[in-house]
């Protein structure tokens, strides 16, 4: 042991510390004079897992300090969970890691080499660390092809435990004798197939006990993200939380950059053609509360009247043909596909995996998939008669459920909270809708949502909104001519009575933050949260 060496590892405790874990901690202590453990704070565990920790931070701290191996325990949260941030804080000399966490591991490895920090592996000899591995899958696999590299017992273990959620696109093996065959229903290909993939669109699982040669072979092909199916969970799970946090922040930064490009372009066009629009809903909360986006929001919502939207749509081709933007109306997804009734202004230059069109994957135009877009909620006149409005919106709901039959996929688990009878009716109506031409259903929708255009109405409603929000009405006085407020340093248009509209939409005390476990992106392909 060298008394001047400072060691660091992240460590999470689910229950009693086992004798095996104590042995590993003692071996870490033998390499350094002072061993520091970074333990995720209670709030950070709640943010990452959505659940309160099984043991509170203070108890974990006391348990670790009661061991002779650990000299100090620090609290880890979103601000210092990354290895680099933590090194800036405590300047350790050796870092113990519990899993090779892919691209981020390679980056941390380069950082440690540049700063004279030695990285020491705590990976077990065999298959282990399934909690950390599942966290890696839940974070890195959604929206990407999962490819298994290797077909031995690690392949079998993956198929047994994870294929129901993340079925591999195919497997890769170095033995040419296996190429063109299949195992457990998974086709086996040669390494050349993997080398031809876009590294940003796949997630590779290293299914080999001696995974290092396979890892080196993989990285020689390109900057692929990967995981071995082994890890030391008490350390590896905390490291995977760090990766998840970093990936989420990178995603949000990219999303906010692109959505602001859309906002600036939309504002430019609306000013040019004297069209009124209003930032609304969670995006309006972002403007009012944060002068930008809600930090964890990945959406952008605006509204405009039907008259102004018609002008925008008429001029869309003239304005945006051949540009980085496209107005994608609900009836222009291709092949008479239906997702919802919301038109969107999409940024077509870059792909960012998101769930906007998840229910029409494989059926809608491929060029609109994974493009970020601004939702445009078109406001139609709502009758002052509540009875008349209820009849109309009930009919629109019926048409909506019929239109769902023209999706590529219907997730009936979304209706688990309704009665069995209601779920049965929804399924039947979906089936009926699937045989009615989409154009007829779209025509029906257009006729019904226009029901009050000849009335002297005091209200708007969002006929193209989500099915639960269609019946809500909003006083026209909330909107008026609009006013300007700052959004990320850009002047945007908002309703004249922001507070009145937000409360009418049901946001309540919107200046208060939601519970910490809900502060996650709502439109990511990964774990969902609430946005306001």
């Amino acid at each position: 042991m060298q008394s001047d060496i400072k060691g660091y590892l992240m460590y999470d405790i689910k229950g009693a510390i086992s004798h095996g874990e104590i042995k590993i901690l003692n071996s870490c202590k033998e390499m350094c004079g002072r061993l520091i453990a970074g333990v995720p704070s209670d709030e950070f565990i709640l943010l990452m897992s959505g659940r309160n920790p099984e043991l509170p931070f203070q108890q974990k701290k006391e348990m670790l300090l009661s061991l002779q191996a650990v000299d100090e325990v620090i609290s880890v949260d979103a601000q210092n969970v990354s290895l680099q941030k933590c090194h800036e804080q405590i300047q350790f000399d050796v870092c113990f890691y519990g899993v090779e966490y892919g691209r981020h591991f390679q980056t941390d490895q380069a950082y440690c080499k540049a700063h004279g920090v030695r990285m020491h592996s705590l990976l077990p000899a065999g298959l282990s660390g399934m909690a950390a591995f599942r966290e890696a899958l839940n974070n890195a696999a959604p929206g990407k092809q999962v490819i298994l590299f290797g077909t031995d017992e690690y392949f079998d273990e993956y198929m047994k435990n994870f294929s129901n959620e993340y079925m591999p696109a195919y497997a890769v093996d170095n033995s040419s004798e296996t190429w063109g065959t299949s195992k457990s229903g998974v086709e086996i290909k040669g390494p050349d197939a993997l080398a031809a993939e876009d590294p940003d669109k796949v997630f590779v699982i290293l299914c080999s006990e001696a995974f290092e040669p396979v890892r080196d072979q993989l990285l020689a092909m390109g900057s692929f993200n990967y995981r071995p199916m082994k890890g030391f969970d008490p350390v590896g799970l905390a490291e995977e939380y760090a990766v998840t946090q970093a990936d989420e922040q990178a995603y949000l930064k990219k999303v906010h950059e692109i959505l602001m490009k859309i906002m600036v372009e939309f504002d430019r066009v609306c000013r040019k053609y004297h069209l009124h629009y209003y930032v609304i809903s969670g995006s309006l909360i972002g403007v009012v509360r944060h002068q930008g986006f809600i930090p964890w929001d990945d959406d952008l919502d605006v509204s405009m009247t039907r008259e102004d939207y018609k002008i925008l749509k008429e001029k869309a081709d003239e304005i945006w043909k051949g540009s980085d933007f496209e107005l994608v109306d609900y009836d222009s997804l291709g092949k008479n596909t239906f997702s919802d009734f919301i038109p969107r202004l999409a940024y077509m230059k870059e792909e960012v995996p998101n769930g906007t069109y998840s229910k029409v994957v494989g059926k809608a135009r491929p060029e609109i998939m994974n493009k970020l877009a601004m939702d445009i909620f078109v406001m139609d006149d709502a009758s002052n008669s509540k009875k008349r409005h209820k009849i109309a919106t009930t009919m629109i709901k019926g048409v909506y459920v019929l239109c769902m039959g023209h999706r590529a996929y219907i997730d009936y688990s979304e209706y688990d909270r309704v009665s069995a009878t209601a779920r049965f009716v929804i399924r039947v109506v979906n089936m009926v809708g699937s045989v009615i031409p989409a154009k007829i259903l779209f025509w029906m929708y257009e006729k019904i949502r226009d029901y009050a255009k000849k009335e002297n109405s005091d209200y708007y409603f969002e006929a193209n909104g989500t099915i639960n929000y269609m019946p809500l009405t909003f006083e026209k006085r909330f909107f008026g001519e609009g006013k300007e407020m700052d959004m990320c340093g850009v002047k945007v248009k908002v309703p004249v009575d922001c507070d009145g509209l937000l409360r009418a939409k049901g946001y309540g005390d919107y200046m208060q933050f939601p519970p910490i476990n809900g502060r996650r992106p709502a439109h990511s392909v990964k774990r969902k949260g609430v946005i306001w």
Side-chain angles (χ1 to χ4, degrees):
M1 181 179 73
Q2 302 183 46
S3 59
D4 59 341
I5 298 295
K6 187 186 294 184
Y8 173 75
L9 78 171
M10 281 196 285
Y11 211 91
D12 196 19
I13 302 171
K14 302 296 183 184
I17 302 176
S18 69
H19 291 295
E21 291 174 37
I22 293 173
K23 185 177 179 180
I24 289 172
L25 288 170
N26 284 332
S27 69
C28 293
K29 175 65 174 176
E30 290 174 0
M31 300 182 201
C32 53
R34 186 170 184 78
L35 180 62
I36 302 170
V39 175
S41 69
D42 295 346
E43 280 199 344
F44 190 59
I45 292 289
L46 182 59
L47 174 65
M48 302 310 297
S49 68
R51 300 183 301 273
N52 287 311
E54 296 171 35
L55 297 175
F57 171 82
Q58 191 60 35
Q59 187 175 344
K60 295 176 185 177
K61 179 178 179 178
E62 291 169 0
M63 290 171 66
L64 285 170
L65 290 177
S66 69
L67 307 175
Q68 293 183 349
V70 177
D71 299 289
E72 182 183 351
V73 173
I74 65 170
S75 176
V76 169
D77 57 24
Q79 305 307 313
N80 67 341
V81 67
S82 75
L83 182 143
Q84 297 183 32
K85 289 293 184 183
C86 197
H87 181 256
E88 292 171 6
Q89 178 183 344
I90 62 176
Q91 296 293 305
F92 48 80
D93 304 292
V94 57
C95 173
F96 302 95
Y97 64 91
V99 67
E100 274 208 22
Y101 40 93
R103 283 177 172 172
H104 289 278
F105 178 80
Q106 298 296 317
T107 300
D108 284 347
Q109 196 173 46
Y111 173 89
C112 286
K113 183 177 181 180
H115 289 79
V117 176
R118 182 160 57 94
M119 297 186 78
H120 184 84
S121 172
L122 301 179
L123 270 69
L127 185 70
S128 188
M130 289 299 98
F133 185 73
R134 182 171 291 280
E135 173 68 20
L137 278 174
N138 288 339
N139 177 56
K144 298 184 179 181
Q145 287 191 99
V146 173
I147 299 172
L148 307 187
F149 201 153
T151 57
D152 61 15
E153 63 268 23
Y154 283 72
F155 173 101
D156 299 332
E157 196 69 22
Y158 180 93
M159 296 302 295
K160 175 183 174 182
N161 291 287
F162 305 106
S163 60
N164 284 342
E165 295 174 84
Y166 301 106
M167 185 67 182
Y170 59 89
V172 171
D173 198 289
N174 283 318
S175 173
S176 60
E177 295 177 357
T178 65
W179 301 349
T181 65
S182 64
K183 185 177 182 181
S184 301
V186 177
E187 183 182 4
I188 302 174
K189 301 182 181 182
D192 287 350
L194 182 53
E197 298 283 1
D198 181 344
D200 291 328
K201 295 183 178 181
V202 300
F203 184 54
V204 183
I205 309 302
L206 306 180
C207 295
S208 174
E209 182 173 344
F211 70 89
E212 291 90 347
V214 177
R215 174 204 60 203
D216 294 343
Q217 181 183 358
L218 175 71
L219 294 178
M221 300 178 190
S223 181
F224 287 90
N225 199 9
Y226 66 92
R227 291 295 187 282
M229 284 189 64
K230 59 169 61 180
F232 179 50
D233 267 345
V235 176
L237 184 58
E239 289 170 333
E240 290 294 355
Y241 283 161
V243 172
T244 299
Q245 177 69 12
D247 285 348
E248 188 170 283
Q249 292 307 306
Y251 164 79
L252 286 167
K253 181 180 179 182
K254 172 59 71 175
V255 167
H256 291 170
E257 288 175 355
I258 292 176
L259 292 181
M260 276 311 298
K261 288 181 181 180
I262 299 172
M263 184 75 257
V264 169
E265 173 64 10
F266 184 74
D267 177 81
R268 178 192 72 81
V269 169
C270 287
R271 290 179 190 271
K272 178 179 179 179
Y273 291 99
H274 308 290
L275 307 177
H276 290 85
Y277 78 87
Y278 313 90
V279 176
I280 61 166
S281 301
S283 301
L284 180 56
I285 294 175
V287 171
V288 173
R289 195 171 70 194
H290 304 275
Q291 293 75 55
F293 290 97
I294 297 173
W296 51 88
D297 189 8
D298 58 350
D299 193 17
L300 179 57
D301 296 331
V302 301
S303 66
M304 61 196 317
T305 64
R306 179 66 59 180
E307 291 73 18
D308 282 343
Y309 178 70
K310 284 180 178 178
I311 296 171
L312 181 72
K313 187 173 181 179
E314 288 170 1
K315 296 184 177 294
D317 283 344
E318 172 190 332
I319 298 168
W320 289 307
K321 188 173 184 178
S323 76
D324 294 337
F325 303 90
E326 180 182 341
L327 184 65
V328 183
D329 210 340
Y330 76 90
D331 58 353
S332 61
L333 305 186
K335 298 181 181 178
N336 292 317
T337 304
F338 175 77
S339 178
D340 50 45
F341 287 126
I342 304 173
R344 297 175 171 91
L345 181 61
Y347 184 69
M348 305 298 289
K349 191 175 181 180
E350 294 184 62
E351 280 193 16
V352 179
N354 66 89
T356 300
Y357 292 116
S358 60
K359 294 173 182 176
V360 293
V361 173
K363 189 173 181 181
R365 293 186 287 135
E367 62 268 24
I368 66 172
M369 304 308 299
N370 288 325
K371 301 300 192 300
L372 290 173
M374 176 182 71
D375 293 348
I376 304 174
F377 291 90
V378 184
M379 299 187 296
D380 289 288
D381 287 334
S383 175
N384 291 344
S385 166
K386 292 183 180 180
K387 182 178 179 180
R388 180 167 161 77
H389 182 67
K390 183 176 181 180
I391 292 171
T393 53
T394 300
M395 293 172 67
I396 294 174
K397 285 183 177 182
V399 174
Y400 185 102
V401 178
L402 287 167
C403 286
M404 285 170 59
H406 291 277
R407 289 177 176 172
Y409 167 71
I410 301 174
D411 183 4
Y412 288 105
S413 67
E414 293 180 356
Y415 306 100
D416 285 346
R417 294 184 180 181
V418 303
S419 68
T421 300
R423 290 198 300 273
F424 175 76
V425 170
I426 290 170
R427 284 179 178 271
V428 171
V429 176
N430 290 165
M431 292 174 61
V432 172
S434 68
V435 299
I436 301 175
K439 289 183 178 180
I440 293 177
L441 296 175
F442 295 163
W443 175 85
M444 292 169 62
Y445 162 73
E446 294 290 342
K447 288 296 182 183
I448 301 169
R449 59 107 186 126
D450 216 16
Y451 82 99
K453 69 176 182 178
K454 295 182 180 180
E455 295 185 22
N456 185 21
S457 170
D458 297 320
Y459 300 93
Y460 290 127
F461 80 114
E462 296 169 355
N464 68 333
T466 57
I467 196 165
N468 292 328
Y469 280 83
M470 287 177 188
L472 298 182
T473 60
F474 309 105
E475 295 180 57
K476 291 182 177 180
R477 65 176 181 84
F478 292 151
F479 299 92
E481 289 294 310
K483 63 182 180 182
E484 291 188 341
M485 291 184 72
D486 283 332
M487 183 177 192
C488 301
V490 175
K491 295 292 184 184
V492 298
K493 295 292 187 69
V494 301
V496 292
D497 185 357
C498 298
D499 181 74
L501 179 63
L502 287 171
R503 293 189 183 279
K505 280 182 168 283
Y507 287 102
D509 189 3
Y510 54 85
M511 295 303 289
Q512 295 295 318
F513 285 13
I516 192 167
N517 57 310
R519 300 177 197 174
R520 304 187 65 87
H523 298 82
S524 165
V525 295
K526 302 174 184 178
R527 294 175 295 182
K528 304 294 190 295
V530 297
I531 64 171
W532 51 273

